[in-house]
Amino acid sequence: MQFASTENPALATYTPAVRQQLFQFVLQLADTSLILGHRLSEWCGHGPILEQDLAMANIALDLLGETRSLYQYAAELEGQGRTEDDLAYLRSATEYRNPLLVEQPNGDFADTVVRQFLFDNFHYHFLKQLLTNADERLAAIAEKSLKEATYHLKWSSEWIIRLGDGTAESRRRVEKSITELWRFSGELTTPTALEKSLQAMGLIPEYEDIQASMTAHAERVLTEATLAIPQQIFMLTGGKDGRHTEHLGYILTELQYMQRTFPGLTW
């Protein structure tokens, strides 16, 4: 069964079941960029120096721009009349599908840099694979976002090197951050049942090639930073299935306050 007509003719090629699966996956991508963008925005006015305060604010804005495109597409896929604002601001924590990594607290600057590096390393290589995706809308969003993701990865990689190969204090802090946050990185390329189904249909990239590219880049950066590469880390998962840490609830309380207090606001 196919949809007879939609606002986007490309959507008519999907059965209702496939369309629902793709809706859930696009929502996962949107949630991920939204939560990380919000986390980075918390640095605004608190950065270690003005230049990096502005850099993190700009990265946050880039992610929020990507978020809007994804929520708009998700709303079209769902076809239930919900808008990007409804999807971003009127869902509970258990409905969010972002990986655990992006909801982790900012901590100190080293914590933020390591969290950003782990995400950027995935995001950049994922978007590269998405460029040739069968879903033209996702491919178009990837093309638009890749230039920004390239800068994000360059920024976080250079800071890993600067902190690791810097002072004794910066090295101590970045090593502590790696120890704390690396265990959240595995979820990025551990496919859920939903992702496996979409991968089998060729609608989203396989993660093996992405993981190989990520590992190669991480090894280059950490070696240049004179930092040890983590080995045999037990990886925590669950965020992409709606099982989150306590941190997400606090984020959503702040993020959704205005929309829930004054319903009907728009981006």
Side-chain angles (χ1 to χ4, degrees):
M1 180 178 178
Q2 294 182 340
F3 285 89
S5 82
T6 64
E7 293 181 4
N8 181 354
L11 298 186
T13 62
Y14 299 128
T15 66
V18 172
R19 184 166 167 158
Q20 175 61 23
Q21 286 186 311
L22 197 56
F23 161 67
Q24 293 292 342
F25 180 72
V26 174
L27 204 56
Q28 174 184 310
L29 299 181
D31 290 344
T32 301
S33 294
L34 176 67
I35 297 303
L36 184 57
H38 183 77
R39 271 295 190 218
L40 283 173
S41 74
E42 294 172 348
W43 271 104
C44 189
H46 302 278
I49 55 176
L50 180 59
E51 180 185 16
Q52 298 311 318
D53 190 304
L54 294 173
M56 288 186 284
N58 282 325
I59 294 172
L61 287 173
D62 291 341
L63 291 172
L64 291 177
E66 182 181 345
T67 296
R68 288 198 63 187
S69 298
L70 290 166
Y71 277 135
Q72 288 166 4
Y73 186 34
E76 290 181 41
L77 285 164
E78 185 187 40
Q80 298 297 318
R82 287 201 288 182
T83 68
E84 54 180 313
D85 298 286
D86 297 329
L87 295 173
Y89 298 118
L90 296 176
R91 292 159 56 230
S92 68
T94 56
E95 294 175 286
Y96 271 71
R97 291 296 182 268
N98 58 276
L100 299 175
L101 174 69
V102 300
E103 66 196 45
Q104 297 311 303
N106 285 335
D108 65 16
F109 186 62
D111 293 329
T112 293
V113 166
V114 170
R115 184 188 64 200
Q116 195 64 33
F117 173 71
L118 294 173
F119 174 76
D120 291 341
N121 198 14
F122 167 76
H123 194 212
Y124 169 78
H125 291 103
F126 174 75
L127 291 176
K128 283 188 70 176
Q129 292 288 324
L130 209 59
L131 286 176
T132 56
N133 196 60
D135 185 281
E136 295 180 358
R137 186 72 168 271
L138 279 179
I141 293 173
E143 183 177 11
K144 185 177 179 182
S145 302
L146 185 59
K147 183 177 180 181
E148 296 166 347
T150 303
Y151 162 74
H152 301 168
L153 182 59
K154 181 175 184 292
W155 180 86
S156 56
S157 297
E158 289 177 349
W159 269 109
I160 289 287
I161 295 168
R162 193 176 302 180
L163 294 176
D165 196 24
T167 66
E169 178 64 10
S170 70
R171 182 183 182 84
R172 182 189 69 78
R173 291 196 181 209
V174 76
E175 285 181 329
K176 177 176 176 293
S177 301
I178 289 173
T179 299
E180 176 63 26
L181 292 168
W182 206 273
R183 57 185 172 153
F184 295 106
S185 64
E187 184 178 15
L188 298 171
T189 53
T190 300
T192 62
L194 170 69
E195 290 170 312
K196 289 179 180 176
S197 177
L198 291 169
Q199 287 171 339
M201 290 185 281
L203 286 175
I204 67 172
E206 298 284 347
Y207 288 154
E208 285 80 359
D209 291 343
I210 295 173
Q211 180 62 65
S213 299
M214 290 170 60
T215 300
H217 182 77
E219 288 178 348
R220 283 197 299 273
V221 171
L222 267 63
T223 298
E224 187 171 349
T226 70
L227 294 167
I229 299 169
Q231 303 290 333
Q232 298 183 326
I233 301 294
F234 177 78
M235 295 296 179
L236 300 178
T237 62
K240 293 194 293 188
D241 286 318
R243 301 188 303 277
H244 296 281
T245 64
E246 70 275 16
H247 305 301
L248 184 63
Y250 291 103
I251 295 173
L252 295 182
T253 297
E254 179 177 308
L255 183 70
Q256 298 182 340
Y257 171 78
M258 288 296 290
Q259 186 62 261
R260 292 187 182 278
T261 305
F262 304 101
L265 298 178
T266 57
W267 287 79

